[in-house]
Amino acid sequence: MLSDSIDQLRNSSLRGLHRRRFIQTVFGAGAAAFLAGRFANAGASQGKAAAGQRVMTARGWISARDMGVTLAHEHALANFQPYQEWASRPLAYDRDEVVKVVLPHLLRVHALGCRTFVDATAAYLGRDPVLLRRLSEKSGLHVLTVTGNYAADDYKHLPPWVYTLSAEALAQRWIDEWTGGIDGTGIRPGFIKLGFNGGSLSEVEQKLIHAGAIAHLKTGLTIGAHTGPAVSAFEQLTVLEKEGVHPSAWIWIHAQNEKDPARHIEAARRGAWVEFDGIGPETLTLHVTLVTRMRDEGLLDHVLISQDAGWYRVGRPGGGTFRSYETVFTEFVPALRAKGFSASEIETLLVRNPAKAFAISIRGAAERG
């Protein structure tokens, strides 16, 4: 029974250990208060982007101040069928089974202090807003979902109409999901997720980022761009700026895949969000180095961190091997503390920055962060 597994989770590794003392042990006494939720009323410290602004979740509006500790790029479910195969023979899955697999992992990070979970699963890669709303209701986490289209993975997941529509018409599809909800569910996206292959922009990729600019200026939704290497990232920034969109409306997803740290610094200095989202036990040294360098350059307030983890994979028994969402809390933050990061700096990464990045706000060319 699902209820039994939840009870087992609640009584397992934290049994016999007072929650506050556990948080202090993992994060250090200085960080314990905010991870316990005690920064919930410190909205003024989150900057002007959070003050008075809101975020759209699968259950509706919340104040940006209420996001709390946020995982900025994760996945509950993924379906990697090419679009044409999905359109003709979609793999079936049972939402109840997915909830049974994913929910304990969400409850675990909720117990560790997480309050918002950004699901970055793109359209036609397993985006399921109804599932995400259920998981949000059962876990107590705020959950964001997406609009947009995904050209990465060699265009396998692009519907044919993306090639034929104008950028304006493509953007209107995303705007319609913002105003009317996704696929008749009434659930609205929290940001625009676009996917790029990493090289110089192809014709259809140029259309995607142009459409992203149009949609942002109509909706205020942030553009999260699966990108990786800098060549694609900076071409996207050029398009956005020409269209009158400030870089602060754009997230460089998978920036850790760019090997030249000078490009991370350059993008952040232009005002973009630089996201290091592949955190796992085997990448701790790399990610600590990346984040430390940005701090030392005075650019920590342009950095997002997450794990790109989870993934109940449709078509595999039981969803395949599930990667938990815990590493940020149990290993990465302690590693930052060991490097001398203060509680305030960790709050910047996990609380302040996501509140600014995902707040619904039209950020035109005149904006400055």
Side-chain angles (χ1 to χ4, degrees):
M1 296 287 292
L2 179 58
S3 60
D4 293 337
S5 66
I6 294 172
D7 290 340
Q8 290 170 7
L9 174 71
R10 287 171 173 158
N11 294 324
S12 59
S13 61
L14 296 183
R15 185 170 46 223
L17 185 61
H18 189 276
R19 181 169 176 266
R20 179 173 175 81
R21 183 160 65 86
F22 172 78
I23 294 173
Q24 289 177 336
T25 300
V26 174
F27 296 97
F34 94 80
L35 286 167
R38 298 194 179 187
F39 277 86
N41 296 319
S45 71
Q46 294 181 20
K48 69 173 185 177
Q53 291 186 347
R54 298 186 295 173
V55 172
M56 180 58 70
T57 78
R59 287 191 283 165
W61 288 108
I62 63 168
S63 168
R65 297 180 179 186
D66 292 336
M67 288 180 73
V69 176
T70 298
L71 290 174
H73 187 110
E74 307 294 341
H75 300 275
L77 175 142
N79 181 354
F80 292 101
Q81 285 183 282
Y83 176 82
Q84 296 293 356
E85 180 182 317
W86 172 84
S88 60
R89 298 186 307 278
L91 292 171
Y93 60 91
D94 182 342
R95 284 196 183 114
D96 290 339
E97 180 184 331
V98 179
V99 169
K100 184 176 181 179
V101 170
V102 178
L103 181 58
H105 297 282
L106 296 178
L107 290 169
R108 171 65 170 162
V109 291
H110 188 281
L112 290 173
C114 184
R115 292 298 174 263
T116 299
F117 178 97
V118 178
D119 190 288
T121 306
Y124 309 110
L125 269 91
R127 179 186 67 168
D128 185 339
V130 172
L131 171 68
L132 295 179
R133 182 169 57 189
R134 283 182 59 184
L135 288 169
S136 176
E137 291 167 348
K138 289 179 177 293
S139 68
L141 293 169
H142 305 301
V143 178
L144 277 63
T145 188
V146 308
T147 190
N149 287 108
Y150 187 89
D153 197 15
D154 296 325
Y155 313 100
K156 293 176 184 175
H157 307 287
L158 276 187
W161 42 261
V162 174
Y163 294 94
T164 58
L165 290 177
S166 67
E168 291 77 10
L170 185 58
Q172 189 60 51
R173 282 178 170 257
W174 308 340
I175 294 165
D176 289 345
E177 291 195 330
W178 166 246
T179 57
I182 299 168
D183 296 335
T185 64
I187 299 169
R188 298 167 68 185
F191 69 108
I192 300 165
K193 172 68 180 291
L194 305 179
F196 300 88
N197 286 290
S200 188
L201 296 179
S202 67
E203 182 176 353
V204 73
E205 288 175 324
Q206 290 178 28
K207 184 193 295 186
L208 284 178
I209 194 62
H210 179 57
I214 295 169
H216 170 75
L217 292 172
K218 291 288 188 180
T219 65
L221 291 169
T222 300
I223 302 163
H226 169 114
T227 298
V231 59
S232 177
F234 282 87
E235 289 186 13
Q236 291 173 55
L237 282 176
T238 296
V239 172
L240 291 173
E241 290 176 320
K242 285 182 178 178
E243 294 294 324
V245 176
H246 190 266
S248 60
W250 178 83
I251 301 171
W252 181 358
I253 293 174
H254 308 321
Q256 70 275 3
N257 293 334
E258 169 53 49
K259 304 307 179 186
D260 183 358
R263 306 315 301 275
H264 303 147
I265 293 165
E266 182 182 354
R269 285 184 175 154
R270 284 172 70 169
W273 294 102
V274 179
E275 183 176 283
F276 303 128
D277 48 47
I279 296 171
E282 70 285 354
T283 71
L284 286 177
T285 299
L286 169 64
H287 281 85
V288 169
T289 298
L290 291 170
V291 173
T292 301
R293 183 181 289 112
M294 296 295 277
R295 179 195 64 176
D296 294 347
E297 292 287 338
L299 295 168
L300 196 66
D301 59 350
H302 287 79
V303 176
L304 298 170
I305 60 170
S306 210
Q307 297 151 129
D308 194 19
W311 299 24
Y312 178 103
R313 185 158 178 174
V314 177
R316 294 191 176 177
T321 301
F322 197 94
R323 189 170 146 231
S324 81
Y325 309 118
E326 298 178 28
T327 304
V328 159
F329 302 97
T330 60
E331 299 187 52
F332 185 67
V333 168
L336 292 181
R337 296 284 288 170
K339 278 284 188 179
F341 277 68
S342 68
S344 180
E345 288 170 330
I346 294 169
E347 183 192 359
T348 292
L349 286 171
L350 289 174
V351 180
R352 294 189 186 108
N353 289 355
K356 292 179 182 179
F358 292 101
I360 306 300
S361 172
I362 295 174
R363 280 156 273 187
E367 285 287 325
R368 289 296 177 264

